[in-house]
Amino acid sequence: MLDPMQRWRQYGEKPDYAGPLTFGGVPCTQDPAELAGFDVAIVGAPMDELVSDRPGARFAPRAIRTASCPPGPHLEAKVDAFSELRIVDYGDAAVVPAQPLVSHAAIEDTVREVVDAGLMPLIIGGDHSITAPDARAVAAKHGPLGLVHFDTHTDTGEGVFGAILSHGTVMRTIVDEGVIDPRRYVQIGLRGYWPGEPEFSWQAEQGITSLFMHDVRDRGIRDVIAQTIEVVGAGPVFLTVDIDVLDPAFIPGGTGTPEPGGMTTVELLWAARTVAAGLDVVGADLVEVIPTDVGSADPAVLAAERVVREILTGVAMRKR
Amino acid sequence: MLDPMQRWRQYGEKPDYAGPLTFGGVPCTQDPAELAGFDVAIVGAPMDELVSDRPGARFAPRAIRTASCPPGPHLEAKVDAFSELRIVDYGDAAVVPAQPLVSHAAIEDTVREVVDAGLMPLIIGGDHSITAPDARAVAAKHGPLGLVHFDTHTDTGEGVFGAILSHGTVMRTIVDEGVIDPRRYVQIGLRGYWPGEPEFSWQAEQGITSLFMHDVRDRGIRDVIAQTIEVVGAGPVFLTVDIDVLDPAFIPGGTGTPEPGGMTTVELLWAARTVAAGLDVVGADLVEVIPTDVGSADPAVLAAERVVREILTGVAMRKR
Amino acid sequence: MLDPMQRWRQYGEKPDYAGPLTFGGVPCTQDPAELAGFDVAIVGAPMDELVSDRPGARFAPRAIRTASCPPGPHLEAKVDAFSELRIVDYGDAAVVPAQPLVSHAAIEDTVREVVDAGLMPLIIGGDHSITAPDARAVAAKHGPLGLVHFDTHTDTGEGVFGAILSHGTVMRTIVDEGVIDPRRYVQIGLRGYWPGEPEFSWQAEQGITSLFMHDVRDRGIRDVIAQTIEVVGAGPVFLTVDIDVLDPAFIPGGTGTPEPGGMTTVELLWAARTVAAGLDVVGADLVEVIPTDVGSADPAVLAAERVVREILTGVAMRKR
Amino acid sequence: MLDPMQRWRQYGEKPDYAGPLTFGGVPCTQDPAELAGFDVAIVGAPMDELVSDRPGARFAPRAIRTASCPPGPHLEAKVDAFSELRIVDYGDAAVVPAQPLVSHAAIEDTVREVVDAGLMPLIIGGDHSITAPDARAVAAKHGPLGLVHFDTHTDTGEGVFGAILSHGTVMRTIVDEGVIDPRRYVQIGLRGYWPGEPEFSWQAEQGITSLFMHDVRDRGIRDVIAQTIEVVGAGPVFLTVDIDVLDPAFIPGGTGTPEPGGMTTVELLWAARTVAAGLDVVGADLVEVIPTDVGSADPAVLAAERVVREILTGVAMRKR
Amino acid sequence: MLDPMQRWRQYGEKPDYAGPLTFGGVPCTQDPAELAGFDVAIVGAPMDELVSDRPGARFAPRAIRTASCPPGPHLEAKVDAFSELRIVDYGDAAVVPAQPLVSHAAIEDTVREVVDAGLMPLIIGGDHSITAPDARAVAAKHGPLGLVHFDTHTDTGEGVFGAILSHGTVMRTIVDEGVIDPRRYVQIGLRGYWPGEPEFSWQAEQGITSLFMHDVRDRGIRDVIAQTIEVVGAGPVFLTVDIDVLDPAFIPGGTGTPEPGGMTTVELLWAARTVAAGLDVVGADLVEVIPTDVGSADPAVLAAERVVREILTGVAMRKR
Amino acid sequence: MLDPMQRWRQYGEKPDYAGPLTFGGVPCTQDPAELAGFDVAIVGAPMDELVSDRPGARFAPRAIRTASCPPGPHLEAKVDAFSELRIVDYGDAAVVPAQPLVSHAAIEDTVREVVDAGLMPLIIGGDHSITAPDARAVAAKHGPLGLVHFDTHTDTGEGVFGAILSHGTVMRTIVDEGVIDPRRYVQIGLRGYWPGEPEFSWQAEQGITSLFMHDVRDRGIRDVIAQTIEVVGAGPVFLTVDIDVLDPAFIPGGTGTPEPGGMTTVELLWAARTVAAGLDVVGADLVEVIPTDVGSADPAVLAAERVVREILTGVAMRKR
């Protein structure tokens, strides 16, 4: 197993810009037999063929790994996820260009290997369509899942330009498949001009809970998250974060369908950690990041890396 | 009349990046005879020769059209402006480079065609000097106007480097001309280090109301807008938004005289819509955007596009 | 028919940054009935779902139109293509996101409308896969075509990651379909590390002529183009230019699979014009441009626009 | 003494982009004899050899001068620092590349010249290691100093990769040296994942006060600054602002170790001014800015310039 | 007189990024009385109000100074212009925003001060319209001037959008005024699609020599420059370099009307030096640079700085 | 040993943007025992603390790996280096920030492990100072080395700002140490304004051969390389390529001390391969690349990756 820390062991840390590239500098393997003994696996899903507007999320898994800083104690939560949890970087699923169904199958296989080995998968996309294979693989073990879904958009379109396979239809697909229990499904941060009445009617029929950005603005993020945790309740949960829930100021150029008037990182980082600490999160993903700058300087990539880290911190808090 | 939706009619929507370029994908004409039957006309005013610092706003009208997403219901206001209102893109006024007076005349002519046809003009600049021809053309029909003015700067200089014709003098000019009624004129978001005592004295004599960024910070945007609506009151109003009222974080590189410590988009989008819904707005413009990135990824351009859309939404709310 | 020059008629020219967006400021229609009387139609094909590396070419048609300067006489060739030829902008084909076969069909339909109306189509991609629908529509009228193909890569892979539908297989596909006559097919500018022996063997069997970048370096572009014209000879020809034939210096960040060590614009502009003037070019496309900057400042977009213009100039020279 | 205003005297102002480059357009000298009669000297310290991640702060002093706007009254504080205080630009210390100790000595010498002449030094870095020579030179005159320290990180590491000389150890160094009185030392804005228990234990032993970003989030900036002023109390104070205390949204790409979830400019600008007005600040620096864009359009550089200006405004308020 | 080298004297050099900002680190004055004893004065002319397309050249004088490296011997010419010539930075002319005629007058005044003091002026623009005040001031002393003009465009339009005052008309203006002797006027590097027959007819009547980019391509730069020197011959000469004569690859995003298919820096640097060494150049300017990146990394700014330096080297060669 | 191809074996290739990050997708190890059986090891040396101007080369090793395309036959040389040679990625040396001597020692140790295992090291910097530890480790096995040195600068300063340890003194250091035999040392591509007479005198005394950029311009690259191969002759050779030998057009923003008027990639790629094929190159490095853009789109990073690949191709040609 390749260990990025190997050559810097004497220092107890490694320069962010040196050594093999893994998330947070954790060891890396592509062999399922080596997953034993770990708690969480980071998996990359670099595909973006199913977007409806700006592509580029295929570059996010590498960029987010590049932006990751060393382990250390969370200064607010007082817990170091990298000490509490044994975390491994399981590389990228075997996606291929221009064949989204092949890529979805590869992602589902890789996540299933993680789940079967008893680890929690944390997948870095990729466009939001990957939540379908992600959640399917997790539900195959845990049964129907609650869903906490941070996003500008509901992604519950019946079709996008007549196509079922899209980053804009994925949530309807996995609800229809029974992977997600809609009564335990909460959307947070909705705003803008999509979708319309038909989608919201379908959502209402299903019993999905929608919390809008104006709820965050008017009621505060603490109240919104408290309601989320209450609605989802006990039982296994999938947590999916579309980075476009943040205001474009926090992710300049860094997502495919940005929508002004969104969350701040102060809100999202707290919320992601609190959800992960307060619910039985058995799988998670972070999607729709488009890297635009080199290394650790890109605000969107940085924000995404920290969201992943807050989820890990929340899981560590819950474990403790 | 060129209709961008024509080839995508079967889908009910059009990819943002395809088809003829108009605001929101609405039909486009340059013929005043075809304005009949519409409610609102979008007009571009691509000139920036009268700035005092960084030029580039001449590229904004095209960039803002490029960043526009398809019509749809506003998720908070529950109204689709593109359904309530018949909106047309009337192209750009016949500006010419390096001759700002010629450009001003062309802008005034084009806006007047819109007003004469009974439509509300919504002009996309361009530097802030265009508010002179914009407001003159509107006042020619509606008489002296109230003015709601979102901006970092008052733009009421007596001269800038000795020149009367400048983006920093325009508000004094149109007050002096009687186009604007100063007692129904409210400035929102002022901050920084300009102007000085002489300008504020003149403003006080005129009865202009100045609401600073520290008012927004300390009293909240709701209170500030409530006061605005009360001061302006009944009667025709022009609404002008200088994008630099936003903090540079929301418009990185995207305006000519950025000033840290400004509004968030959460504040401005709500405020623009609320003003448009609460007052008799008969004309509006959005100015001082400098595009820096391609397509729909530029935060400043996106924010500007959404401000235009919030104004349209407010107008639609009022109409309903 | 929308005419961008309409409001600037008195000046005989239009600012590049103002007015409706069409190629070179020519009139625009989406109605096949209005094609009559024109010689050449510009068609956009904004799709990039079939790339194997970096996406983004979907944004090229709008960007290339934005970068186009006004008509005028070519200072070397002494001919103004916009005077000699009647050119129309026929908008974009009705592509849809994430469904490349649907987009291919839409492109083929639109190009066929142009060909059926008796015009030469000049298509702006888009990834290189669009040459399939482009050439099919042209061959449907003119029969098997010669092909002049400027590119770093042969695009004659048997499959890319097992897929036949790819920007890396398109030339094999249209040779296999009989759309292209391989003995009249010349590739210019090949370099780098792809493809391998199997592809070159297949090419040799077909009788395809490969001219490498080291041929350009050692023999000079004039000699290479002379051979090209001789090999292709009489009969209808399709001309396809992949912008990555240029060195990355001339297209920084501006294509999906850039390869150092390529052509200069001095070479390519002359070559494209000379081919168009010396052969019976009945259709052409320009592909694989990824815009990275706003407006007319992006070198790749500018180079692409000028390649289109050189093709038009060559066609005008031949007509004259 | 070179006076940038000289050629524009008749206008009472100077275009931001023209004339010799000094902070705020104030006069510039490099001669200690000419310091007499001034109150405050701006000093550049362009070095970044002691960073642990991204370099580039060596370019900040020039960039921040470039971004400075003309003097004028602070619209909230109603005081013009450039009228109340006589401010001079004392150029850059004689730093040299790749020799940080030589540069530190040069910085200390230059700041000492300023202090010896009776002026308050305001140093623009450079990486945070410059606070060592800055504070030493000030303490040489004023004795042990209180310290107000805005930052994401405590910079109190015992070593960074085994090295004592680092931007991550500087605060421990100057506390150990007796330059700073730890009981009068307040840190504001801490967050993220560094440092760990050993550093916080050492800090607690010293009596250092740590106020975290979650304190700002939960208690509000006013409360946090009130506590700061109370803890530091009477006596000479050094004020150091690491720009990374701001959220990356406000400084995109603009610092070496950005950390999401930080302050807004609305908070920091008010806080910096309030500290400067409320305490006996005898020296200050602003560090860790990495310029990424030309001129006055870079949000990080702009924010940094305004922080300097707020400090000047606070000092002017206190003087008055 | 402010001397950037002052604090670094012991090293014999200064870091490029430190110290007061002047061209090449030479001393700076704004006082005409201090010009005595110098041979050449660098003057900035930061205005761009007269462009017809992309503005931004107002930022070039500072950017070009920022990109300047220390003095040293030219490795090919074996002469150090900074040793042979006494060079001073005379700051920027007192341009003002939005008032091009006022700025032209200020530029002419400043250049006249230089000429009157017996120095050769080397002006850094700014848009190409500044060649009018530049050449007028020089001709006022030396009489009608020869002109060597590197450019893509002739800049001899009779009007641009009906205006005489434009960067596209300047050469016609100064020929008409008798400032330039058209029979001693050579244009080098023309290409693209402008101007048309009327302008070339006027040029032919005047006896102006036009050398096109295809002359450079086909005959070589040495032959083209030999002809230039022969045509211009003895007598005072003004040398003007529009940076757009370079191919966009060498100036990506770095000029207002870029035209692919241009010169390389290898060609232009040699040519500028050879012209300066071979003719009696009594004044020169370098125009139309738009900075797009910070510091010394912007290719266009770097190329511009080196063109200025090659002119100085040529002048030094001739002097020696 | 981690093998990036593992999950994509069925396809015979891997998407450039997916899988563990190694050079060209070759296997990666950090264990010297696993080097046996390989011919060449890629080693990263991410340090830039010894530059005299712009830092950033610490980010190059990762960026160059990111830009690497899959193995394949060189289309001109008809050899696939990845088939002929067994290549391994040996990770990065254990550099640490802000301590260049510690980093040099780590680099020398890592290269020595490679050399001791019988492999040829190919090191990716980092600033040019790394050639000292690189060449020392190679000479420790092979004895004094010939040196082929592509660069704008000689890097033979006696000191830079009084410091011996610098990227500007490295070549003098290793000549003085006897690591390099100066009579077998050829410099190619020198230009600009540095160094001066003292350095060139010292070089002449040593018998170093300097070939300037004007030699390349006037004699052609083939002639220059022929002379290089003749001068260096038989015996072990180190090959060092400073990417700034290229013209800034080919590396926009991509190096620390760019100098206009340099080589094209067409020249450098051929030259690097020809040197590697024609001499006994036992070690090589590629230095001074500053990444500025994400992924494979940055021209400088791409050019650097291809230079490495050409060296590998040349070595493979020689082996065959």
Side-chain angles (χ1 to χ4, degrees), chain A:
Chain A
M1 193 174 301
L2 190 73
D3 183 357
M5 275 299 296
Q6 180 182 319
R7 289 189 175 146
W8 285 269
R9 194 79 65 198
Q10 60 180 305
Y11 302 106
E13 61 178 323
K14 185 185 71 59
D16 290 359
Y17 48 83
L21 180 62
T22 72
F23 185 86
V26 301
C28 175
T29 184
Q30 296 183 112
D31 182 353
E34 293 188 321
L35 290 174
F38 286 98
D39 298 308
V40 179
I42 306 292
V43 176
M47 69 165 284
D48 61 16
E49 279 85 357
L50 295 176
V51 299
S52 56
D53 204 334
R54 298 176 61 237
R58 67 181 70 185
F59 299 113
R62 277 208 186 142
I64 289 171
R65 287 179 176 111
T66 299
S68 59
C69 66
H74 190 286
L75 292 199
E76 181 178 4
K78 314 290 183 203
V79 57
D80 181 348
F82 294 80
S83 299
E84 294 294 320
L85 306 171
R86 290 155 300 175
I87 305 172
V88 67
D89 191 323
Y90 197 48
D92 293 335
V95 301
V96 290
Q99 299 174 79
L101 278 173
V102 176
S103 295
H104 272 199
I107 294 167
E108 189 168 341
D109 286 350
T110 303
V111 177
R112 198 181 298 251
E113 288 169 9
V114 168
V115 173
D116 286 350
L119 286 73
M120 170 184 156
L122 209 165
I123 304 102
I124 300 174
D127 68 55
H128 219 153
S129 75
I130 69 160
T131 299
D134 294 347
R136 283 178 195 133
V138 173
K141 173 159 188 179
H142 294 282
L145 304 165
L147 181 62
V148 178
H149 174 198
F150 289 91
D151 205 337
T152 288
H153 314 91
T154 65
D155 295 351
T156 53
E158 195 165 2
V160 171
F161 291 95
I164 300 300
L165 207 63
S166 161
H167 73 156
T169 60
V170 60
M171 300 308 160
R172 182 180 291 232
T173 302
I174 55 179
V175 166
D176 284 348
E177 290 180 358
V179 165
I180 299 299
D181 173 356
R183 288 155 309 174
R184 296 182 60 231
Y185 171 10
V186 181
Q187 302 164 334
I188 307 163
L190 307 178
R191 64 187 183 277
Y193 304 86
W194 188 85
E197 202 277 326
E199 287 82 0
F200 278 113
S201 289
W202 176 85
Q203 295 202 165
E205 288 164 23
Q206 304 293 322
I208 295 170
T209 302
S210 296
L211 299 171
F212 292 81
M213 189 57 212
H214 55 263
D215 292 310
V216 176
R217 183 192 67 205
D218 294 343
R219 296 165 46 191
I221 188 69
R222 285 180 179 265
D223 195 45
V224 161
I225 294 301
Q227 180 181 351
T228 298
I229 288 175
E230 192 183 313
V231 168
V232 176
V237 177
F238 196 84
L239 169 56
T240 185
V241 181
D242 184 325
I243 203 69
D244 74 15
V245 76
L246 289 171
D247 192 275
F250 297 85
I251 47 170
T255 197
T257 47
E259 185 65 47
M263 279 194 201
T264 66
T265 50
V266 168
E267 291 166 337
L268 180 59
L269 296 184
W270 177 87
R273 185 172 79 246
T274 302
V275 165
L279 292 170
D280 182 22
V281 174
V282 292
D285 60 20
L286 181 285
V287 299
E288 297 285 353
V289 178
I290 301 183
T292 57
D293 193 13
V294 72
S296 58
D298 183 327
V301 172
L302 262 178
E305 204 274 345
R306 292 310 188 271
V307 168
V308 172
R309 207 166 273 249
E310 294 284 355
I311 296 172
L312 292 171
T313 302
V315 170
M317 290 165 71
R318 186 171 179 89
K319 188 189 170 201
R320 197 153 69 169

Side-chain angles (χ1 to χ4, degrees), chain B:
Chain B
M1 194 173 302
L2 189 72
D3 183 357
M5 275 299 295
Q6 179 182 321
R7 288 188 176 148
W8 286 268
R9 194 78 67 198
Q10 60 180 305
Y11 303 107
E13 60 180 323
K14 183 185 71 60
D16 289 358
Y17 49 83
L21 179 63
T22 72
F23 185 86
V26 300
C28 176
T29 184
Q30 297 182 112
D31 181 353
E34 294 188 319
L35 292 174
F38 287 98
D39 298 307
V40 180
I42 306 291
V43 176
M47 67 165 285
D48 60 17
E49 280 84 358
L50 294 176
V51 299
S52 55
D53 206 333
R54 300 176 59 238
R58 68 182 70 184
F59 300 113
R62 278 208 186 142
I64 290 171
R65 286 177 176 113
T66 299
S68 59
C69 65
H74 190 286
L75 292 199
E76 181 177 4
K78 314 290 180 204
V79 57
D80 181 348
F82 294 80
S83 299
E84 294 294 320
L85 305 170
R86 291 154 299 173
I87 305 172
V88 67
D89 191 324
Y90 197 48
D92 294 333
V95 300
V96 290
Q99 300 175 78
L101 278 173
V102 176
S103 296
H104 272 200
I107 296 166
E108 190 168 341
D109 286 350
T110 304
V111 177
R112 199 181 297 252
E113 288 169 8
V114 168
V115 173
D116 287 351
L119 286 72
M120 170 184 156
L122 210 164
I123 305 103
I124 300 175
D127 69 56
H128 218 153
S129 74
I130 68 161
T131 300
D134 294 349
R136 283 178 194 131
V138 174
K141 172 158 188 180
H142 295 281
L145 304 165
L147 181 62
V148 178
H149 175 199
F150 289 91
D151 203 336
T152 287
H153 314 91
T154 64
D155 295 352
T156 53
E158 196 166 359
V160 171
F161 292 94
I164 300 301
L165 208 63
S166 161
H167 73 157
T169 59
V170 59
M171 299 309 160
R172 183 180 291 231
T173 301
I174 55 179
V175 167
D176 283 349
E177 290 180 358
V179 166
I180 299 299
D181 174 356
R183 287 155 309 172
R184 296 183 61 230
Y185 172 8
V186 181
Q187 302 164 333
I188 308 164
L190 307 179
R191 64 186 185 278
Y193 303 87
W194 187 84
E197 201 277 327
E199 288 83 0
F200 279 112
S201 289
W202 175 85
Q203 295 202 166
E205 288 164 25
Q206 303 293 321
I208 295 170
T209 302
S210 296
L211 299 170
F212 293 81
M213 189 57 212
H214 55 264
D215 291 311
V216 176
R217 183 192 67 206
D218 295 343
R219 297 166 45 192
I221 187 69
R222 284 181 180 269
D223 195 45
V224 162
I225 294 302
Q227 180 180 351
T228 298
I229 289 175
E230 191 183 314
V231 169
V232 177
V237 177
F238 196 84
L239 167 56
T240 185
V241 182
D242 184 324
I243 203 69
D244 74 15
V245 77
L246 288 171
D247 192 274
F250 297 85
I251 48 170
T255 196
T257 48
E259 186 65 47
M263 279 193 200
T264 65
T265 49
V266 168
E267 291 166 337
L268 180 59
L269 297 184
W270 177 86
R273 185 173 78 246
T274 303
V275 165
L279 292 170
D280 182 22
V281 174
V282 292
D285 60 22
L286 181 285
V287 298
E288 298 284 354
V289 178
I290 301 183
T292 59
D293 194 13
V294 70
S296 59
D298 183 327
V301 172
L302 262 178
E305 204 274 347
R306 291 309 188 273
V307 168
V308 172
R309 207 166 274 250
E310 294 283 356
I311 296 172
L312 292 170
T313 302
V315 171
M317 290 165 72
R318 187 173 180 90
K319 188 189 172 200
R320 198 154 67 169

